Amino acid sequence: MNKLFGVLFFILLFTAQGFAFTDNKKQTAEQWTDSVYRSLTPEERIAQLVWVAASAGDNIEQQIKTAELIRNFHPGGMIFFEGDLKKQIRLTNYLQSISKTPLLIAMDAEWGPGMRLSGTLTLPYAMALGAIQDQNLIMKSGEEAGRQLKQIGVQVNLAPDADINTEPHNPIIGMRSFGESPQNVTRCATAMMQGMLNAGIIPVAKHFPGHGDTQNDSHLTLPVLPYSRERLESTELVPFRELINAGIPAIMSAHLNVPALDSTKGIPATLSPLIINNILRKSWGFKGLIITDAMNMQGVRSYGAPGTIDVLALKAGNDVVEFPADPKETILAITRALKTGELKWNDIEQKCKRVLLAKYQVGLNSYKAINPSGIEKILNTPQSELLNRQLSEASLTLLENQRNIIPLQGLDTLHIASVSIGSDSITTFQKGLSRYSDIDHFNLPDNFTAKEADQIFNQIKNYNLVIVGIHNLYEMSNRKTVKVGNIKHVSPQYPYNATPELEQFLSSLSGRQRTIITLFGNPYALAEFKHFSKPQALLIAYQDDPVNEDLCAQLIYGGISAQGKLPVSITGLYKAGEGLSTPNPIRFKYTIAEEVGLNSARINTRVDSIVNLAIRSKAFPGCQVFVAKDRKVIFHKAYGFHTYDKVIPVSLDDRYDLASNTKITGPLSSYMKLYDEGKFQIDDQVSKFWPDWKKRLFHKSNKEDITFREVLSHQAGLIPYIGFWNKTLRKDKTPDPKWYSPFKDEKYSLAVTPNLFLDQKFSKEVYKQIRLSPLKNRGKYIYSDLSFILAPEIIKNISGENYVTFVTQNIYQPLGANSITYNPFEKVSLDKIPPTEYDHVFRHQLVQGSVHDESAAVLGGISGNAGLFATANDMGKLIQMYLQKGTYGGHEFFSEKTFNTFNTVQYPQTGNRRALGFDKPLLNNAEVSVSDAYPIKDVSPESFGHSGFTGTFVWADPKYGLVYVFLSNHIYPTRENMVIFNQNVRTNILQVFYDEVKK
């Protein structure tokens, strides 16, 4: 065994130097083919027609046997199956180096090398591609599969599958087929073929004459295709005939008995001259390679012994005997057949030259060894990830959409539960749903009992919408695994685990509640329900993986649109070609930067570097960063921890104190809504709705004539702030019991912290101090909190509603931005709220879950200058709504005209850059130096945003379609921390995205 390991070590380290023919680059295809053919012995010419199996797995002895086979018999090619990516490359390099003639390396990689090799991206199954209407997108799938194969030294892909799958219980084709329509299969297979040819890979159409309408697996037995010649001509044969016309270079013959094409009892098509030679060669004029399906399969072995059947395959018209059970015996049997005259040398010469010509066409006349270094990065590029997402997105098929429930609208009216069936924990699908609105999640395991179903049903019965994800119907546990040769094959048992309990659960939901059902997997599973109750919406994703789960959640909420068409019929329910479309997207799409033409690797590297340096420098313990471009979320990450002790990592659903970003999140959105409704005018005096500023007898006020335009643009002369809280402290600066209680009641109702409550009467003291405060430099820009502190009461007076109720019901709930809230300690665990500062002056405790700002704190945490908390994701929705000038999710919050009014600089003549509530770039931003610009030099004049004392910052730019949200707790544990400013963390991150956009 030590010797075996030594040999393997040599194989894995060996780097091929090339072939004897590498100096023939200038030769034509014919010259090269003839020259190689003449250099081969008769036995070596025969061996070119034999392709052997190889595996880069853990079977060392088998790899050594393969190497010996190549040294001694010089086969024409190898077919790789399962294995490890780098091992396969090293093994390929070694085997090529010891082969007298370059080997054609083939893989059965219908959905890319990820079908066989770990560490590589898996592209969608053929049935998913069959649902896609964009043929160019399917071609790109073939190109990507081909690109990846070429990078690992493979020249032949045993794909596309051109079978017409009309048998729902087909145990071997099923999802490998593009569908049941000959026209659709032809369309898709042709596009895949063209893509692979574009990538320099030989595609092989299979399984001729058509394996789609069989109930048996040819690995295990010989299936029979019992149909008439007319039926075969109109269905099974169509794609193969059309692919030949389109230029397919190779076809694989199948181990099928087809009496209508050859009446010989029990003969597989592979061995039939009437089927292979007469149809493909003579009738259709096919001049490319004909390759057998694996000759170790029982479907052909049942007809004869190894060697004998291989001779019959060549005699029938095949050029290549693939994966013979005994390669040595195959070569010897062919030699004997030539001596007896059963086979002719003229035929062998033709077949051998076809193989050699194929080698020339894929560049094997000048083969170079593959470097395995960094191969994962070469294969798994952001572009391949994007293509995979695009393919999956285009395949999603909506079969029911009663009353146009998808995309979901009226989020403020929905009480939603999600149920994932086949999973014990929260799924990617459920997490994706939660990005759009509040949802309560439930799970049912595989093969759940009626009792478990009843328990879940009772828990969700009061919800007015239930979203169900069905996973794992096509379960490995319900399949029978068999071994043929060295290859394991999986044969599904039916039904698809569609248990009576599952059927009853779905029927109960459909009968009593609005229900959206998403099936992740084979759509044929629906036919297993004897009494299928159609839900309000039914969505099919053809694979159960994180990408499809994520995209289905996005489709339900309108982040993407439905485009796919069902490629197969579901007996008694739906016909092939059905599929509903939905309108253009109305909410965020969550994707990667490449979708908007940016470089995700560069972005991630630069942002990670900025943030990680900031965390190491203790600018803040953690943060959230969110960026969207053109309504597509391209960056959404959480960094670090809640505190420097690194106990609780920051997650994307943590709520940060927005500080002054409250101004544009709460009061400003409310003001725009009310202004749009005509409830007040920008030049109205604030005192019209806040009588406390009116002059009356014994009631002084210097603010009666101040307008909304002035206060919202910080032009009213109000002083920046007032230390209201000082009046509530004793001489030792501790909370005065006259004002405070550790318990909340009717008198002490203002929550300063979760365990400290202030007398509600103190709010009047706040209003009085603001009224009596001096005005300084009215008509000049002075940033002030005071008018925003009053905003909740002013908005209440204008609207006639409680401020929090008004902004929540009119803004946050319709947005699906339910994490935006005051006093989050009342709603979520403190573990979801990073703390701000340890307050040594006022509250004498760590501030967590309640507002940091002292002015907002003495008002019970509910103020217009500060007090709101949010996730970056929900903050992004609000800012995107602003960017879209008042609309989001199919809902108009206010008019475009209103937004434009509020986003206009009001007093440029005084040097004031502010709009109504919004911060804006410097008025001369384009003229100043990069270091003096605000927020950065590249922003457009139309852009807007705001910053917050706790370390928050948001910015949006209509010109570039950008939304940027940065949330942190930089003042933990003290506000004296200036590192975030010294390092320009927030604006440096913003600069990264402008650099990319402007490249």
Side-chain angles (χ1 to χ4, degrees):
M1 185 56 71
N2 288 336
K3 181 180 179 181
L4 292 177
F5 276 104
V7 173
L8 179 64
F9 181 76
F10 175 73
I11 290 174
L12 295 181
L13 291 184
F14 192 94
T15 299
Q17 300 301 313
F19 298 99
F21 305 100
T22 56
D23 59 349
N24 292 321
K25 295 179 183 178
K26 295 182 180 179
Q27 289 181 312
T28 66
E30 184 178 356
Q31 289 171 335
W32 188 85
T33 299
D34 287 342
S35 105
V36 176
Y37 182 80
R38 288 193 300 269
S39 74
L40 300 176
T41 66
E43 292 78 11
E44 290 168 350
R45 293 170 182 173
I46 293 169
Q48 288 299 299
L49 314 183
V50 179
W51 293 3
V52 299
S55 174
D58 297 326
N59 192 332
I60 302 169
E61 293 186 52
Q62 185 59 44
Q63 291 165 17
I64 294 171
K65 289 179 181 178
T66 301
E68 291 301 311
L69 188 66
I70 289 169
R71 281 198 188 91
N72 296 330
F73 291 91
H74 311 290
M78 288 189 304
I79 304 98
F80 273 100
F81 290 92
E82 60 189 2
D84 173 81
L85 179 61
K86 287 189 175 180
K87 283 183 181 179
Q88 176 163 318
I89 292 174
R90 293 185 177 116
L91 185 58
T92 296
N93 285 339
Y94 173 68
L95 296 178
Q96 288 282 28
S97 74
I98 64 173
S99 178
K100 178 179 177 181
T101 307
L103 292 158
L104 270 172
I105 307 298
M107 279 190 74
D108 192 355
E110 295 168 22
W111 43 89
M115 179 177 175
R116 299 294 179 184
L117 299 175
S118 59
T120 60
L121 177 74
T122 299
L123 294 165
Y125 298 158
M127 188 174 287
L129 299 183
I132 297 173
Q133 302 307 296
D134 184 349
Q135 191 161 332
N136 187 58
L137 200 53
I138 301 170
M139 183 180 71
K140 289 181 179 179
S141 179
E143 285 181 352
E144 178 59 23
R147 181 193 72 83
Q148 293 190 26
L149 289 168
K150 197 165 188 177
Q151 292 288 345
I152 63 174
V154 175
Q155 299 86 35
V156 180
N157 190 4
L158 303 179
D161 190 310
D163 297 312
I164 310 294
N165 199 90
T166 50
E167 171 49 64
H169 288 179
N170 192 318
I172 190 61
I173 304 302
M175 299 293 283
R176 299 167 64 193
S177 166
F178 294 110
E180 71 176 44
S181 162
Q183 293 72 32
N184 192 42
V185 170
T186 299
R187 176 183 70 91
C188 297
T190 303
M192 283 289 288
M193 173 201 77
Q194 189 59 57
M196 284 185 270
L197 288 174
N198 292 346
I201 294 293
I202 296 174
V204 182
K206 63 184 183 185
H207 306 82
F208 178 80
H211 207 325
D213 200 347
T214 62
Q215 292 193 19
N216 295 310
D217 183 351
S218 53
H219 292 92
L220 309 176
T221 187
L222 179 64
V224 178
L225 207 58
Y227 302 108
S228 68
R229 180 67 181 252
E230 291 74 21
R231 149 65 192 258
L232 297 172
E233 291 282 0
S234 65
T235 305
E236 278 78 8
L237 297 179
V238 171
F240 297 99
R241 186 170 59 240
E242 295 304 319
L243 283 165
I244 289 173
N245 292 335
I248 191 80
I251 289 178
M252 176 185 287
S253 56
H255 307 320
L256 305 166
N257 181 236
V258 192
L261 301 182
D262 188 339
S263 60
T264 305
K265 185 177 180 180
I267 189 170
T270 321
L271 309 184
S272 169
L274 294 176
I275 296 175
I276 306 303
N277 196 46
N278 284 13
I279 295 177
L280 287 178
R281 292 291 188 213
K282 294 181 179 179
S283 179
W284 292 354
F286 180 56
K287 299 185 184 304
L289 276 176
I290 303 176
I291 304 167
T292 71
D293 205 347
M295 294 298 288
N296 69 339
M297 294 165 61
Q298 196 60 37
V300 68
R301 292 186 67 176
S302 61
Y303 199 77
T308 301
I309 55 175
D310 303 317
V311 169
L312 291 175
L314 294 179
K315 188 176 179 182
N318 295 280
D319 297 306
V320 172
V321 175
E322 178 219 332
F323 201 171
D326 187 341
K328 298 177 186 178
E329 176 56 30
T330 296
I331 294 171
L332 291 173
I334 295 170
T335 303
R336 291 193 298 266
L338 285 165
K339 289 179 180 178
T340 64
E342 185 178 3
L343 291 174
K344 306 297 183 183
W345 267 113
N346 285 343
D347 291 336
I348 298 300
E349 180 178 353
Q350 279 187 332
K351 297 176 191 298
C352 181
K353 286 187 175 181
R354 284 194 191 105
V355 172
L356 294 175
L357 179 61
K359 293 183 178 185
Y360 180 92
Q361 290 170 335
V362 293
L364 285 175
N365 60 311
S366 56
Y367 175 81
K368 294 181 180 178
I370 305 298
N371 184 357
S373 177
I375 190 64
E376 294 92 346
K377 187 175 181 179
I378 293 171
L379 296 188
N380 303 314
T381 65
Q383 288 75 22
S384 60
E385 179 187 348
L386 175 61
L387 176 62
N388 187 48
R389 295 184 67 87
Q390 291 172 328
L391 291 165
S392 297
E393 177 183 338
S395 73
L396 300 181
T397 305
L398 187 62
L399 293 176
E400 297 286 344
N401 195 22
Q402 298 169 24
R403 299 180 183 177
N404 295 318
I405 187 174
I406 292 177
L408 293 178
Q409 298 197 45
L411 299 185
D412 51 326
T413 68
L414 297 176
H415 185 207
I416 309 173
S418 79
V419 182
S420 275
I421 297 170
S423 175
D424 295 324
S425 58
I426 301 299
T427 62
T428 300
F429 177 54
Q430 291 173 305
K431 291 176 183 177
L433 294 171
S434 287
R435 288 185 303 207
Y436 290 96
S437 66
D438 278 352
I439 297 183
D440 294 325
H441 299 302
F442 304 87
N443 293 76
L444 276 169
D446 287 331
N447 301 312
F448 59 84
T449 64
K451 182 179 179 181
E452 290 173 318
D454 287 343
Q455 289 173 342
I456 294 293
F457 190 81
N458 287 332
Q459 289 177 284
I460 65 175
K461 63 184 179 182
N462 292 325
Y463 291 82
N464 62 9
L465 175 64
V466 178
I467 302 174
V468 179
I470 304 176
H471 308 261
N472 296 338
L473 282 186
Y474 207 58
E475 261 294 300
M476 287 297 293
S477 60
N478 295 321
R479 299 178 182 182
K480 181 180 179 182
T481 302
V482 294
K483 192 172 184 181
V484 180
N486 294 316
I487 306 300
K488 290 182 179 180
H489 297 282
V490 178
S491 178
Q493 289 183 341
Y494 290 87
Y496 292 79
N497 198 28
T499 62
E501 290 80 8
L502 174 57
E503 183 174 3
Q504 179 58 46
F505 181 74
L506 296 179
S507 295
S508 298
L509 281 177
S510 297
R512 295 180 59 181
Q513 291 162 311
R514 285 194 292 177
T515 306
I516 296 173
I517 293 177
T518 300
L519 172 65
F520 297 99
N522 196 318
Y524 282 131
L526 292 174
E528 298 297 333
F529 297 114
K530 296 177 182 178
H531 305 288
F532 182 73
S533 300
K534 291 184 178 181
Q536 191 165 4
L538 175 63
L539 178 60
I540 304 295
Y542 299 88
Q543 287 173 251
D544 190 359
D545 60 28
V547 169
N548 277 278
E549 290 186 42
D550 182 24
L551 289 170
C552 282
Q554 297 191 44
L555 191 149
I556 288 170
Y557 278 93
I560 61 176
S561 301
Q563 307 168 49
K565 304 293 182 185
L566 191 65
V568 295
S569 295
I570 311 301
T571 305
L573 294 172
Y574 305 100
K575 295 180 180 179
E578 289 192 45
L580 303 170
S581 298
T582 54
N584 291 333
I586 59 174
R587 293 191 178 89
F588 275 137
K589 178 179 185 178
Y590 294 83
T591 182
I592 61 175
E594 279 66 22
E595 183 153 356
V596 293
L598 306 185
N599 186 306
S600 58
R602 200 158 49 223
I603 288 171
N604 277 284
T605 298
R606 292 186 64 191
V607 175
D608 288 354
S609 176
I610 294 168
V611 173
N612 290 332
L613 173 62
I615 291 174
R616 289 195 303 272
S617 305
K618 295 193 173 182
F620 42 78
C623 67
Q624 294 174 357
V625 183
F626 174 102
V627 178
K629 175 169 169 51
D630 303 333
R631 200 193 40 78
K632 297 175 178 65
V633 179
I634 59 171
F635 194 94
H636 190 200
K637 293 179 74 171
Y639 295 87
F641 294 83
H642 284 202
T643 58
Y644 293 113
D645 58 11
K646 299 183 178 181
V647 174
I648 303 175
V650 177
S651 65
L652 294 177
D653 59 350
D654 286 340
R655 290 108 186 274
Y656 277 89
D657 186 335
L658 297 179
S660 284
N661 271 304
T662 295
K663 294 180 176 70
I664 66 168
T665 306
L668 189 60
S669 63
S670 301
Y671 279 138
M672 284 194 277
K673 173 73 173 173
L674 293 168
Y675 173 81
D676 198 63
E677 294 174 350
K679 300 291 180 66
F680 80 102
Q681 300 301 314
I682 296 301
D683 289 316
D684 282 345
Q685 294 178 350
V686 175
S687 61
K688 178 179 178 180
F689 301 99
W690 187 242
D692 193 47
W693 279 10
K694 285 186 177 289
K695 294 179 182 178
R696 298 188 298 276
L697 188 63
F698 307 118
H699 189 274
K700 296 180 180 180
S701 176
N702 56 357
K703 302 177 179 65
E704 184 174 28
D705 62 343
I706 290 176
T707 65
F708 282 98
R709 189 185 302 275
E710 290 177 286
V711 296
L712 290 175
S713 55
H714 301 278
Q715 188 84 1
L718 298 171
I719 61 175
Y721 68 93
I722 298 173
F724 308 106
W725 59 95
N726 287 312
K727 195 166 184 177
T728 70
L729 303 180
R730 294 183 292 196
K731 290 182 179 180
D732 62 358
K733 300 299 182 180
T734 59
D736 190 336
K738 179 183 73 172
W739 286 110
Y740 290 99
S741 169
F743 307 105
K744 185 176 183 179
D745 57 25
E746 289 186 8
K747 179 180 180 182
Y748 299 100
S749 60
L750 300 176
V752 175
T753 70
N755 55 13
L756 189 64
F757 299 90
L758 179 62
D759 191 327
Q760 62 177 337
K761 292 180 181 179
F762 191 75
S763 59
K764 294 181 180 180
E765 179 63 28
V766 171
Y767 307 149
K768 178 182 175 182
Q769 289 192 44
I770 292 175
R771 173 169 54 84
L772 296 177
S773 65
L775 293 179
K776 294 184 178 181
N777 299 311
R778 185 176 178 181
K780 293 185 178 180
Y781 170 54
I782 299 176
Y783 183 82
S784 173
D785 280 349
L786 300 190
S787 69
F788 284 93
I789 291 172
L790 301 176
E793 290 300 311
I794 295 172
I795 290 166
K796 177 182 176 182
N797 292 340
I798 297 173
S799 68
E801 298 180 46
N802 173 274
Y803 159 70
V804 174
T805 302
F806 180 85
V807 72
T808 300
Q809 292 182 351
N810 285 280
I811 306 296
Y812 308 146
Q813 289 179 349
L815 276 173
N818 296 298
S819 76
I820 303 180
T821 186
Y822 288 97
N823 289 326
F825 73 89
E826 298 175 343
K827 303 171 182 68
V828 298
S829 166
L830 291 181
D831 288 344
K832 305 304 297 178
I833 313 168
T836 49
E837 183 180 24
Y838 192 94
D839 185 355
H840 293 279
V841 178
F842 171 29
R843 286 154 286 196
H844 301 278
Q845 59 183 281
L846 181 66
V847 179
Q848 184 176 16
S850 55
V851 65
H852 171 267
D853 181 87
E854 295 89 349
S855 297
V858 297
L859 291 171
I862 299 173
S863 179
N865 73 307
L868 283 172
F869 288 67
T871 64
N873 185 54
D874 279 356
M875 195 65 179
K877 296 172 189 176
L878 177 76
I879 305 304
Q880 182 68 36
M881 183 266 284
Y882 290 161
L883 191 75
Q884 296 175 185
K885 300 186 176 183
T887 64
Y888 183 82
H891 183 93
E892 183 176 276
F893 295 83
F894 41 79
S895 69
E896 179 176 342
K897 182 178 179 182
T898 289
F899 176 79
N900 288 338
T901 297
F902 278 75
N903 191 39
T904 300
V905 175
Q906 300 298 307
Y907 297 99
Q909 68 276 11
T910 68
N912 183 348
R913 71 174 188 263
R914 296 273 175 168
L916 296 174
F918 291 117
D919 197 1
K920 300 284 287 182
L922 295 179
L923 296 176
N924 61 339
N925 210 43
E927 302 165 11
V928 301
S929 66
V930 170
S931 59
D932 290 335
Y934 178 82
I936 58 174
K937 193 172 179 64
D938 287 329
V939 299
S940 74
E942 300 89 349
S943 66
F944 57 92
H946 214 282
S947 61
F949 183 71
T950 53
T952 62
F953 184 80
V954 301
W955 203 262
D957 197 328
K959 180 178 179 180
Y960 299 104
L962 279 174
V963 169
Y964 169 55
V965 179
F966 179 92
L967 303 181
S968 75
N969 54 337
H970 97 91
I971 59 173
Y972 174 86
T974 172
R975 69 183 67 193
E976 303 302 321
N977 182 1
M978 294 289 110
V979 178
I980 195 173
F981 303 105
N982 297 336
Q983 293 186 0
N984 296 318
V985 176
R986 297 174 290 185
T987 51
N988 282 349
I989 295 172
L990 180 61
Q991 186 67 58
V992 169
F993 292 91
Y994 275 90
D995 288 347
E996 289 298 318
V997 167
K998 292 193 166 188
K999 277 188 183 296

